[in-house]
Amino acid sequence: MDIQSGSKKFNKRLLIGIIVIITTTLYLISLSLDSASAVYMTPSQLIDSQINEERRLRLGGSVLEGSISYGETRLDLVFYVVDEEASVKVDYYGVVPDIFGDNAVVFVEGYFDRSSNIVNADLLLTKHPDTMEPLTENTLNSGYPKEY
Amino acid sequence: MSIIDVGYICLVGSLILAVYSGLSSLFGSYFQSPPAQSRGLNTAYLIGLLMAIASSTLVYSFISQDFGVRYVALHSNKAMPFYYTVAAFYSGQEGSLLYWATLLSVFWGITVFVKRMHRDNLTSYANILMMPILIFFFSILIFKANPMERLPMAMTDGQGLNPLLRDPGMLIHPPMLLAGYLSWTIPFVFGIGALISGDHRGDWVSSIRKPTLIAWALQSAGLVLGGWWAYHVLGWGGYWGWDPVENVALLPWLTGTAFLHSIMVVERRKKLQIWSISLLIATFSFSIFGTFIVRSGILSSVHNFAESEVGHYFLAFFAISLLGSIVTLLFTSRFMKENGTFDSATSKESGFLVNNTIFIALSFATFWGTVYPMVSEALGDQRITVGAPFYEKVNGPLFALLLLLMGVGPLLNWNHTSYSSLKQKFLPPIIVSILVIAFLFLLIDSLIAAISFGICSFALISIISEYARATKSRANLTGQNHIRSLLSLVSVDRRKYGGYLIHISIVIMAIGIISSSGFQTKQEVNLIKGQELNIGRYTLTYSGTATIREADKNSVVSQILVKQKGSTYTSVMHPKTQYYDNFISQPTSRVAILSFPMEDLYIFQSGVGDDSATFAIFINPLIILVWVGSSMIIMSLFIIFWPSKKDNI
């Protein structure tokens, strides 16, 4: 077949197939954005919000120092997630990531129980420090490594 | 003056030479002066050399433990083993950018060298485009993120490498992935160069065949190694979590893989040229986007991300290169001879078009999920986040469709495949896969899994039957026996039959992925010393935890005895948590994995009490196929790359 610019025939079945793939993808995306997503909030936003108890919630903040208390098996625990203005109690069952602890930046996912003001979480993630560089410029320039 | 200052001088020298080289090529191409074009291209060698020297001086500073260099003091210490120098080199922003710039300079030097015999206008145009990209990186390195910076006073010891990076997987995964990202620059400059130079016949495709495959190979290896690292370090029992950083690493791979397929249509049928160049633009842009995201931390953070200054420059560079390419494409594409005819749905080119549609759908879904938190916040008041379930629901079916197509594609002819030939070729694999689905559905009682495995078997059988058919007709033609025909078949058409080998590897990987994610057993337990636990076909006994002092860390190690049912042999597993002296607030785990051919027993230590400890225990069936399949991909690539006698570039 010779190269002819301008002549553009497009098979109907092929075109329909491509359109089906595209629309199915868009449909799946919109469907999953409703069913497989979570609303992100900080503790102070959660306190002010009218969030539905059935809406999945992602809460982000840091762990209040000294607030972690483990149950009998170390698998169930409660702690407070705080930001500058508010704190929310979190009830979580499961293993915790390596760097979970006082003041760790965490994200928990679960559902908010308005009557008791507790987030019942089934997912707990910690955020690693943004940089891989542990020292500040000042300590470096002083010429001494910082003691932790 | 110390050795690192030599590196800095080389960096500055590279910047000056890059400006010279770019201008020289521009002048040469504009006034059609071959000597000026040559000078421009020859300078590329020198840039590659200088950058290699610059990087070597940093490596030397690491090895000689020169803690007067800021970067070395931040990323290494005396206790660090020698081989982690590699990881230390790229672990910070400055080092990874230096790595990027060096490797691209060297790769470009090699590309220009390989093309020395057939230097054409196209290479010159590519050089005009390459130099601004290098100039951007060199300038960032010199003015904003200088890895050669010295401290006012040398430190006695360095801070040490981040514990997360102290792992063999980390020695190769990020450098591989970054190398994959940056390698896409080379096809990109050739593609855009073809638009500008007026090489509209599609010849540019042959110039970039190898660079494209290399970029794809590096990127694939980088992704797989990342999964392998996550599996044995992160401790959540899997290898891919649809994390934003993983997603941005996947995006250029998706568009790049689409490109890898669409250029075959350009080569054979002179179709999809503009489309292919658009894919190149997307791949290059996603690579820059990826480097920027990984380096700025913009996606992973909560609200108030610490934006580094370099982030702004990257964003600007990303926007300019994307806009510039799109404008170029719009203004020059009408000169491009394009045969847009797709008049048969059952032709190879139509198969590739459907393949590309699925890849674009995958990229779009992944991209949308990744940026949706930001988009939703900008449009409404709520920040909506999506996690792994979103991607499983959307991308899962698309990947299944892609697997199905892997079985269909090889059996299609260019131009048109007749109905009778379709029937003859497809009937056997369809019948077998229906039987597989029925059998598995009765066995495992999960329709989705049964269908997924059925699709895998369809693809596998149809590819293997394609090998069988070609081998048979070759044997008839040449009179050789079948094994020799098979071998010579692969060696004569490496791209085709090596490519099918990659498809087989991917199907094997898919079987591993479906099994290990769909049939995983997970149990979270707190065990008291001496307590037994039955999980799967194993009996585990927790015998206690001890703290062991090693070079610059304390390791908290638990011991678990493992007995298989019906066996007298006892294995020992040691999941542990490590506390490095300089990173006390950042403990890192080492998962214990006991591998069997059919499954992995995987234990993560989550917390340790007085005489008890908490573990997450996983059984991952057939996970070995993920690693077998990915190793096979790399081996297939070696087959494709193996130089043959009549090979010319």
Side-chain angles (χ1 to χ4, degrees):
Chain A
M1 189 192 295
D2 275 13
I3 296 164
Q4 284 177 342
S5 49
S7 86
K8 285 187 182 168
K9 278 195 283 173
F10 217 89
N11 183 286
K12 249 187 212 146
R13 276 185 296 166
L14 180 63
L15 195 65
I16 290 170
I18 287 173
I19 291 170
V20 166
I21 293 173
I22 293 171
T23 46
T24 312
T25 307
L26 293 176
Y27 175 70
L28 279 175
I29 289 176
S30 67
L31 198 70
S32 309
L33 279 182
D34 284 338
S35 65
S37 69
V39 182
Y40 178 80
M41 283 182 185
T42 59
S44 50
Q45 284 171 331
L46 178 61
I47 298 295
D48 293 341
S49 79
Q50 298 294 315
I51 186 170
N52 188 327
E53 294 194 348
E54 264 128 59
R55 183 73 172 106
R56 194 168 170 81
L57 165 80
R58 173 180 271 228
L59 180 72
S62 53
V63 176
L64 180 67
E65 201 167 335
S67 74
I68 304 171
S69 87
Y70 287 96
E72 216 169 292
T73 63
R74 286 187 67 87
L75 276 170
D76 55 295
L77 54 150
V78 288
F79 54 94
Y80 281 88
V81 173
V82 293
D83 59 7
E84 288 83 11
E85 290 149 33
S87 69
V88 173
K89 192 174 181 181
V90 175
D91 193 331
Y92 171 75
Y93 183 89
V95 298
V96 297
D98 282 337
I99 57 170
F100 176 76
D102 285 343
N103 299 320
V105 176
V106 292
F107 301 99
V108 298
E109 269 191 36
Y111 300 89
F112 185 53
D113 183 6
R114 197 162 285 286
S115 58
S116 57
N117 276 340
I118 291 178
V119 172
N120 291 303
D122 49 46
L123 183 75
L124 170 62
L125 305 166
T126 43
K127 190 166 95 68
H128 277 280
D130 258 345
T131 58
M132 297 290 185
E133 300 173 7
L135 281 188
T136 63
E137 209 72 356
N138 288 337
T139 46
L140 258 189
N141 290 339
S142 70
Y144 298 98
K146 188 176 159 192
E147 291 287 332
Y148 275 89
Chain B
M1 193 166 107
S2 81
I3 194 94
I4 198 79
D5 299 317
V6 176
Y8 186 71
I9 293 167
C10 289
L11 211 55
V12 175
S14 303
L15 176 64
I16 297 168
L17 285 176
V19 173
Y20 169 76
S21 166
L23 287 177
S24 184
S25 288
L26 186 65
F27 177 86
S29 301
Y30 191 76
F31 295 103
Q32 303 202 333
S33 149
Q37 285 185 324
S38 275
R39 276 198 297 277
L41 289 175
N42 289 338
T43 311
Y45 303 150
L46 213 53
I47 296 171
L49 184 71
L50 283 184
M51 287 307 289
I53 297 173
S55 284
S56 311
T57 63
L58 187 62
V59 171
Y60 178 82
S61 305
F62 269 115
I63 294 172
S64 62
Q65 303 188 328
D66 181 356
F67 299 121
V69 179
R70 179 177 168 275
Y71 191 77
V72 174
L74 276 172
H75 298 280
S76 70
N77 62 354
K78 285 178 181 163
M80 187 178 84
F82 159 76
Y83 46 86
Y84 281 136
T85 304
V86 184
F89 186 98
Y90 72 77
S91 64
Q93 184 175 64
E94 296 87 347
S96 56
L97 290 175
L98 177 65
Y99 173 80
W100 220 102
T102 304
L103 219 56
L104 184 56
S105 308
V106 171
F107 281 3
W108 183 240
I110 294 172
T111 310
V112 171
F113 180 75
V114 168
K115 288 187 68 77
R116 71 195 176 283
M117 290 309 172
H118 353 243
R119 268 189 190 162
D120 41 19
N121 271 328
L122 181 59
T123 320
S124 254
Y125 275 98
N127 195 51
I128 299 173
L129 295 160
M130 178 58 86
M131 287 307 147
I133 296 169
L134 287 179
I135 289 168
F136 168 75
F137 277 94
F138 296 160
S139 309
I140 290 279
L141 282 169
I142 293 169
F143 300 113
K144 291 294 165 200
N146 180 5
M148 276 87 178
E149 194 186 320
R150 302 189 65 84
L151 288 169
M153 204 195 310
M155 288 170 61
T156 46
D157 195 1
Q159 179 63 26
L161 183 63
N162 187 299
L164 266 185
L165 302 180
R166 299 189 195 193
D167 179 85
M170 270 289 144
L171 287 180
I172 30 182
H173 149 61
M176 243 354 163
L177 197 62
L178 278 178
Y181 278 156
L182 66 92
S183 303
W184 280 109
T185 313
I186 291 170
F188 170 74
V189 293
F190 273 110
I192 301 290
L195 282 177
I196 302 174
S197 73
D199 171 14
H200 297 150
R201 298 179 311 273
D203 295 348
W204 59 278
V205 181
S206 58
S207 297
I208 59 162
R209 197 187 289 151
K210 285 213 166 159
T212 301
L213 266 178
I214 290 171
W216 189 84
L218 287 168
Q219 211 175 17
S220 307
L223 287 171
V224 167
L225 286 165
W228 182 70
W229 169 81
Y231 182 65
H232 74 261
V233 173
L234 295 185
W236 49 272
Y239 35 84
W240 188 267
W242 298 103
D243 175 79
V245 174
E246 291 172 346
N247 291 347
V248 293
L250 185 67
L251 282 171
W253 186 86
L254 290 172
T255 51
T257 311
F259 174 74
L260 210 60
H261 291 92
S262 75
I263 49 169
M264 289 182 224
V265 183
V266 177
E267 241 175 299
R268 294 291 294 265
R269 315 297 298 174
K270 302 276 184 256
K271 292 175 189 174
L272 298 181
Q273 275 209 77
I274 296 162
W275 170 251
S276 299
I277 293 179
S278 312
L279 284 176
L280 262 186
I281 295 172
T283 308
F284 175 73
S285 302
F286 277 141
S287 296
I288 296 291
F289 183 66
T291 312
F292 158 69
I293 293 285
V294 171
R295 282 289 133 221
S296 71
I298 180 172
L299 283 180
S300 59
S301 59
V302 197
H303 270 284
N304 45 342
F305 45 83
E307 264 180 83
S308 76
E309 223 185 329
V310 172
H312 293 297
Y313 292 102
F314 256 92
L315 208 55
F317 177 67
F318 168 74
I320 292 170
S321 62
L322 181 60
L323 264 174
S325 325
I326 292 174
V327 168
T328 312
L329 187 68
L330 288 178
F331 275 93
T332 54
S333 61
R334 64 202 155 92
F335 302 117
M336 209 146 223
K337 287 209 177 82
E338 181 87 6
N339 175 5
T341 314
F342 283 88
D343 47 12
S344 164
T346 54
S347 64
K348 211 166 208 126
E349 52 263 50
S350 296
F352 279 126
L353 198 62
V354 175
N355 149 306
N356 269 232
T357 312
I358 301 172
F359 271 110
I360 292 306
L362 277 167
S363 320
F364 178 75
T366 308
F367 179 72
W368 192 241
T370 310
V371 298
Y372 194 68
M374 287 177 274
V375 174
S376 63
E377 196 174 31
L379 296 181
D381 326 319
Q382 284 189 326
R383 190 177 169 91
I384 312 284
T385 63
V386 299
F390 170 82
Y391 299 100
E392 280 155 17
K393 279 184 186 168
V394 182
N395 289 1
L398 288 172
F399 275 120
L401 205 56
L402 215 47
L403 275 177
L404 189 70
L405 200 61
M406 251 181 221
V408 177
L411 305 186
L412 294 175
N413 302 329
W414 291 103
N415 211 10
H416 182 67
T417 320
S418 70
Y419 178 71
S420 60
S421 140
L422 278 180
K423 200 170 125 187
Q424 185 210 347
K425 283 175 170 175
F426 281 114
L427 214 52
I430 286 177
I431 291 171
V432 174
S433 54
I434 287 174
L435 290 176
V436 168
I437 292 174
F439 175 72
L440 282 178
F441 181 60
L442 294 174
L443 192 73
I444 56 183
D445 202 30
S446 155
L447 188 61
I448 294 177
I451 291 175
S452 313
F453 286 124
I455 291 174
C456 291
S457 64
F458 170 76
L460 213 52
I461 292 164
S462 105
I463 300 168
I464 291 171
S465 67
E466 175 62 23
Y467 274 106
R469 204 175 358 257
T471 305
K472 208 170 154 192
S473 64
R474 193 175 175 82
N476 287 342
L477 202 72
T478 58
Q480 291 169 327
N481 67 40
H482 284 85
I483 293 169
R484 283 205 48 187
S485 319
L486 178 65
L487 290 177
S488 68
L489 183 76
V490 177
S491 76
V492 165
D493 199 343
R494 282 153 205 263
R495 275 177 81 206
K496 186 172 177 186
Y497 292 99
Y500 289 164
L501 220 50
I502 292 184
H503 284 183
I504 292 181
S505 320
I506 288 172
V507 174
I508 289 173
M509 251 179 108
I511 296 172
I513 291 170
I514 298 164
S515 321
S516 62
S517 55
F519 299 92
Q520 187 183 55
T521 310
K522 180 186 178 184
Q523 198 170 342
E524 297 174 328
V525 285
N526 186 66
L527 295 177
I528 302 163
K529 205 168 168 176
Q531 192 181 339
E532 279 192 2
L533 173 80
N534 287 309
I535 180 168
R537 50 193 185 94
Y538 310 97
T539 304
L540 311 183
T541 315
Y542 168 57
S543 46
T545 304
T547 302
I548 299 166
R549 177 69 196 169
E550 288 166 76
D552 59 340
K553 67 183 176 200
N554 287 315
S555 291
V556 178
V557 189
S558 291
Q559 178 162 293
I560 293 174
L561 305 176
V562 181
K563 212 169 208 169
Q564 279 190 71
K565 271 180 196 131
S567 155
T568 48
Y569 184 72
T570 307
S571 321
V572 189
M573 293 178 80
H574 290 124
K576 61 182 174 181
T577 313
Q578 301 168 322
Y579 297 83
Y580 283 89
D581 295 347
N582 286 343
F583 296 85
I584 288 299
S585 59
Q586 208 186 323
T588 44
S589 285
R590 278 290 176 277
V591 178
I593 301 171
L594 199 58
S595 289
F596 300 95
M598 290 304 283
E599 63 193 23
D600 271 11
L601 178 63
Y602 179 106
I603 302 181
F604 167 72
Q605 169 182 289
S606 147
V608 176
D610 290 337
D611 59 350
S612 72
T614 317
F615 304 98
I617 302 168
F618 300 84
I619 295 173
N620 297 318
L622 292 181
I623 195 159
I624 198 166
L625 292 184
V626 176
W627 317 125
V628 168
S630 32
S631 319
M632 279 175 62
I633 294 177
I634 308 297
M635 284 192 290
S636 319
L637 282 162
F638 275 111
I639 292 178
I640 297 176
F641 280 126
W642 202 262
S644 62
K645 279 172 205 147
K646 56 179 181 116
D647 208 19
N648 49 2
I649 295 162

